């Protein structure tokens, strides 16, 4: 009898109990970021509490559907890797501007639908650009993703941006305690438990937070048991040229960020992202964004914080993240459950976030370790790309005097650093040198072309 072909870890289906635990861990890792976008946009537009709650439940529902599309996939939609989907922060400033200058939510949703359709159409073009992402570029981008997320974990650890007790020692102490629990479970617990170290850390942190008054469950009692998001709840979408143009710029930024995230997960899981699968993943982003415009929410993209969780836990099954998508759908249909998850204190999430986001940065360093930095300009490529990527993270107001379209692109450290790395790699490693010689780059990419070397090098990394 012929032995069955081995199943790739990405396609393995763990037992139901593990699926539930691992999936819940992914939900907790991204929940705060997922609900932040509707809270910021709705708050800026001074929506009523009922409308804010509606935006959040609609967001969670479409987050779950988008995650299922990306992980499970159908036809040419979905990269079929463990990727969590959530609202992109790159769209926050343009949407606030559109919503507060007379267009309202219908104008936002009209521009979101057009942007989603544009992403679907442009996905094959981005797929063909994969050859411009050798390990030099991908390692730099993954490093920038991890570092740019660390301030998010820092804000959570301090109590959450804007909270009255921000920076109080008790908040940092709780975050530090959760961090120690996560590390202790990873180091000393059995292999199965070490894979849900983040979930255990959040659970223990929540148990400690309750008696010390960190939690507020008042919102749980006020939340409805059942809530269904209906299409165009806030009215039929309207289409304004200025709003559409700004959202198209956001679409290009999110496609760039998603490309970096997909490549990162591909390297972590051992399933290299090919041009076709990259286009499929971006096409799923576009479809999810269209659904967001129809079901009263916003543009969607891959969530980098969950990339870190994949690298940290070494659980590579896409069905785990698909389970997380199913949990999000339930949270979107059952607002009371969503309110329970929302009651988890920010410092608890911050302690876990420090490990997860640091893991992303460390994965970037691991990829860069395969690149030779001798007798070439690769060090310059990494140095300048990281510097440009960290500029808006360290100085958030650095581009506030620039046009809106420029701020949309450059205020995201991930997109700014990614674009810089691509351009510098082309400049130093693709264009002919002064002497016309082909100075080989250590990651296998000769000057002036030689994409075969790039592909071979990425195989070696995996």
């Amino acid at each position: 009898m012929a032995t069955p072909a081995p199943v790739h870890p990405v396609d393995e289906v763990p037992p139901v109990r593990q699926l539930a635990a691992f999936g819940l861990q992914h939900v907790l890792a991204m929940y705060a970021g997922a609900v932040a976008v509707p809270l910021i946009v709705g708050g800026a537009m001074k929506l009523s509490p009922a409308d804010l709650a509606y935006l959040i439940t609609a967001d969670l529902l479409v987050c779950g559907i988008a995650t299922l599309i990306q992980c499970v996939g159908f036809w040419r939609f979905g990269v079929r890797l463990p990727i969590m989907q959530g609202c992109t922060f790159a769209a926050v400033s343009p949407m606030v501007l559109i919503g507060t200058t007379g267009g309202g939510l219908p104008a936002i949703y009209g521009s979101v639908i057009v942007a989603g359709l544009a992403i679907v159409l442009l996905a094959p073009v981005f797929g063909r650009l994969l050859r411009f992402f050798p390990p030099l570029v991908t390692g730099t981008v993954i490093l920038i993703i991890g570092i740019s997320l660390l301030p998010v974990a820092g804000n959570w650890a301090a109590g959450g941006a804007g909270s009255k007790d921000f920076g109080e020692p008790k908040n940092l102490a709780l975050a530090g305690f959760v961090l120690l629990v996560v590390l202790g479970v990873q180091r000393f617990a059995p292999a199965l438990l070490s894979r849900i170290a983040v979930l255990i850390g959040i659970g223990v942190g929540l148990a400690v937070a309750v008696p010390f008054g960190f939690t507020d469950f008042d919102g749980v009692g006020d939340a409805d048991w059942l809530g269904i998001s209906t299409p165009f709840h806030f009215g039929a979408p309207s289409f304004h040229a200025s709003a559409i143009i700004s959202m198209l710029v956001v679409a290009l930024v999110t496609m760039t960020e998603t490309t970096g995230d997909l490549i990162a997960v591909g390297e972590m899981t051992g399933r290299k992202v090919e041009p076709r699968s990259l286009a499929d993943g971006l096409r799923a982003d576009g479809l999810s964004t269209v659904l967001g415009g129809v079901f009263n929410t916003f543009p969607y993209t891959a969530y980098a914080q969950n990339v870190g969780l994949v690298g940290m836990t070494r659980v590579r099954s896409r069905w785990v993240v698909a389970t997380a998508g199913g949990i999000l759908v339930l949270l979107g249909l059952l607002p009371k459950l969503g309110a329970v998850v929302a009651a988890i204190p920010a410092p608890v999430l911050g302690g876990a976030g420090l490990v997860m986001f640091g893991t992303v940065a460390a994965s970037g360093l691991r990829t860069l370790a395969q690149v030779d930095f001798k007798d070439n300009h690769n060090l310059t490529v990494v140095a300048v790309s990281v510097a440009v990527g960290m500029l808006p993270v360290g100085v958030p107001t650095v581009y506030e005097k620039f046009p809106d379209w420029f701020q949309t692109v450059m205020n995201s450290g991930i997109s700014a650093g990614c674009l810089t790395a691509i351009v510098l790699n082309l400049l130093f490693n693709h264009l002919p040198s002064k002497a016309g010689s082909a100075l080989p780059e250590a990651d296998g990419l000769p000057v002036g072309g030689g994409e075969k070397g790039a592909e071979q090098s990425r195989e070696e990394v995996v």
Side-chain angles (χ1 to χ4, degrees):
M1 294 179 61
T3 57
V7 178
H8 193 282
V10 170
D11 298 320
E12 287 182 349
V13 182
V16 174
R17 286 187 299 177
Q18 293 183 25
L19 276 175
F22 295 153
L24 180 59
Q25 190 169 232
H26 274 281
V27 171
L28 296 178
M30 60 83 67
Y31 189 90
V35 301
V37 174
L39 282 174
I40 294 170
V41 175
M45 296 178 63
K46 296 181 171 55
L47 298 181
S48 66
D51 285 342
L52 275 176
Y54 193 94
L55 283 181
I56 291 173
T57 54
D59 173 36
L60 293 174
L61 175 65
V62 181
C63 273
I65 295 172
T67 300
L68 288 169
I69 293 172
Q70 195 70 273
C71 295
V72 179
F74 67 94
W75 191 51
R76 299 296 303 279
F77 291 87
V79 72
R80 295 167 176 83
L81 285 173
I83 293 285
M84 285 291 291
Q85 298 284 105
C87 282
T88 174
F89 283 86
V92 169
S93 296
M95 289 192 301
V96 169
L97 186 63
I98 295 168
T100 56
T101 53
L105 286 173
I108 293 177
Y109 294 141
S111 62
V112 168
I113 291 172
V114 173
L117 293 174
I119 293 174
V120 172
L121 295 175
L122 290 173
V125 178
F126 260 72
R128 288 193 288 269
L129 297 178
L130 189 61
R131 66 180 183 272
F132 298 116
F133 287 83
L136 173 65
V137 174
T138 58
T140 303
V141 172
I142 297 169
L143 175 62
I144 292 171
I145 291 172
I147 298 176
S148 63
L149 286 172
L150 287 173
V152 176
N155 280 323
W156 288 346
S163 63
K164 295 180 180 179
D165 60 349
F166 185 84
E168 289 283 345
K170 64 177 184 179
N171 292 334
L172 296 171
L174 179 58
F177 171 74
V178 172
L179 175 61
L180 290 176
V181 171
V182 172
L183 295 176
V185 171
Q186 271 205 308
R187 174 62 181 86
F188 299 107
L192 177 60
L193 292 179
S194 69
R195 292 183 174 183
I196 55 171
V198 171
L199 179 61
I200 294 174
I202 291 175
V204 174
L206 181 60
V208 171
V210 170
F212 284 95
F214 282 91
T215 53
D216 181 8
F217 290 103
D218 292 341
V220 178
D222 298 334
D224 295 328
W225 279 105
L226 182 65
I228 300 176
S229 179
T230 55
F232 307 125
H233 174 79
F234 295 98
S238 58
F239 301 92
H240 303 275
S242 58
I244 290 172
I245 291 172
S246 64
M247 204 57 64
L248 288 175
V249 174
V250 171
L252 293 174
V253 172
T254 57
M255 291 178 81
T256 305
E257 293 182 351
T258 298
T259 298
D261 290 332
L262 296 185
I263 292 173
V265 172
E267 294 193 353
M268 289 178 180
T269 58
R271 174 172 284 177
K272 186 179 71 172
V273 174
E274 303 288 351
R276 174 170 175 151
S277 57
L278 173 60
D280 292 347
L282 293 173
R283 201 176 283 112
D285 263 14
L287 175 59
S288 302
T289 298
V290 172
L291 291 176
V294 172
F295 287 95
N296 319 294
T297 179
F298 308 115
Y300 285 85
T301 187
Y303 258 28
Q305 46 263 60
N306 294 86
V307 174
L309 189 56
V310 171
M312 175 188 160
T313 61
R314 299 186 297 280
V315 176
R316 296 178 282 177
S317 171
R318 61 190 172 106
W319 297 105
V320 165
V321 180
T323 302
I327 294 173
L328 285 173
V329 170
L330 283 177
L331 294 177
L333 296 175
L334 303 173
K336 199 172 285 291
L337 284 179
V340 172
V341 178
I344 297 175
V348 173
L349 297 175
L354 288 171
V355 186
M356 294 187 299
F357 304 161
T359 301
V360 178
S363 298
L365 291 176
R366 183 177 59 188
T367 301
L368 288 173
Q370 310 296 321
V371 179
D372 187 2
F373 291 96
K374 295 179 181 179
D375 302 323
N376 54 40
H377 302 290
N378 291 344
L379 194 62
T380 301
V381 174
V382 176
V384 176
S385 301
V386 172
V388 173
M390 291 301 99
L391 196 57
V393 176
V395 189
T397 58
V398 66
Y399 298 123
E400 66 177 7
K401 303 295 184 183
F402 285 74
D404 291 338
W405 66 267
F406 186 89
Q407 292 186 48
T408 300
V409 176
M410 299 302 291
N411 271 342
S412 166
I414 298 173
S415 64
C418 183
L419 292 173
T420 304
I422 293 171
V423 171
L424 291 182
N425 180 57
L426 291 174
L427 175 64
F428 287 112
N429 297 320
H430 279 257
L431 296 180
S433 62
K434 294 179 181 178
S437 61
L439 175 66
E441 183 185 324
D443 63 9
L445 186 62
V447 168
E451 303 306 334
K452 181 180 179 182
E455 294 301 319
Q456 179 183 3
S457 179
R458 195 180 288 119
E459 284 288 349
E460 292 171 359
V461 172
V462 174

